[in-house]
Amino acid sequence: MIYVILSIIAASAFLALRFKKPQFLLIPILSIFIYFIVEIALVPAPFFDTLKFIFSLS
């Protein structure tokens, strides 16, 4: 998975420099956020209980 994220970062940096549009730099941030949400969803506990456990909000 680390290689996928690194390739997304490299591709978006290339596109941002090539087309001079900084919006492409949001792609790696969004992809890491989506990966984080998917990994939380794969935990067999309920979603919000998992979030409380991770961030110690209980």
Side-chain angles (χ1 to χ4, degrees):
M1 194 62 194
I2 189 77
Y3 295 122
V4 173
I5 291 174
L6 287 175
S7 64
I8 290 171
I9 291 170
S12 65
F14 173 76
L15 290 173
L17 292 174
R18 174 102 166 114
F19 296 115
K20 295 183 180 17
K21 292 190 178 189
Q23 296 89 351
F24 286 114
L25 297 177
L26 290 175
I27 294 171
I29 297 168
L30 292 175
S31 65
I32 292 171
F33 180 72
I34 291 170
Y35 175 72
F36 181 71
I37 295 298
V38 168
E39 286 297 317
I40 291 174
L42 290 176
V43 174
F47 185 75
F48 289 111
D49 289 341
T50 305
L51 283 179
K52 287 179 186 178
F53 176 73
I54 291 172
F55 296 110
S56 298
L57 297 176
S58 59

